Amino acid sequence: MQVDEDAVGDVVKRLRRAEGQIRGVIGMLEDGRDCAEVVTQLAAVSRALDRAGFKIIASGLEQCVSGSAGDDRKANLEQMEKLFLSLA
């Protein structure tokens, strides 16, 4: 199952933002910034990564519902459920 092209653009954008946030967290640690500030930024990175993962799963679910039938649909939905739970 492929990720929808529209979803890919959105996910890449979110991942690039998370990449920048991670660089920022590294800089904060190297500069000796306050622990609470660092953890706050780590939480933001975590949310960005979760959103990227959920976007991919949502795209897959949409494909499962609209494009599959019978046993294929059930197998695809089970696969998406496992992926979703891995992010939870």
Side-chain angles (χ1 to χ4, degrees):
M1 182 177 316
Q2 296 291 320
V3 178
D4 179 64
E5 287 183 33
D6 293 334
V8 168
D10 189 39
V11 169
V12 168
K13 188 168 137 181
R14 290 172 192 261
L15 292 175
R16 289 185 200 270
R17 186 177 308 131
E19 181 181 33
Q21 289 173 310
I22 290 170
R23 277 195 223 103
V25 170
I26 291 169
M28 291 172 74
L29 288 168
E30 291 174 342
D31 293 343
R33 298 278 294 272
D34 181 64
C35 177
E37 293 176 28
V38 173
V39 171
T40 299
Q41 288 305 309
L42 283 175
V45 171
S46 179
R47 284 190 304 274
L49 293 174
D50 286 346
R51 286 185 181 135
F54 287 133
K55 182 72 172 183
I56 291 170
I57 291 170
S59 171
L61 285 172
E62 185 176 7
Q63 289 179 34
C64 289
V65 171
S66 65
S68 301
D71 291 337
D72 287 342
R73 181 177 178 183
K74 183 177 179 181
N76 286 339
L77 285 172
E78 287 173 359
Q79 180 184 15
M80 289 292 106
E81 180 181 3
K82 287 179 186 176
L83 290 171
F84 179 80
L85 291 173
S86 73
L87 289 174

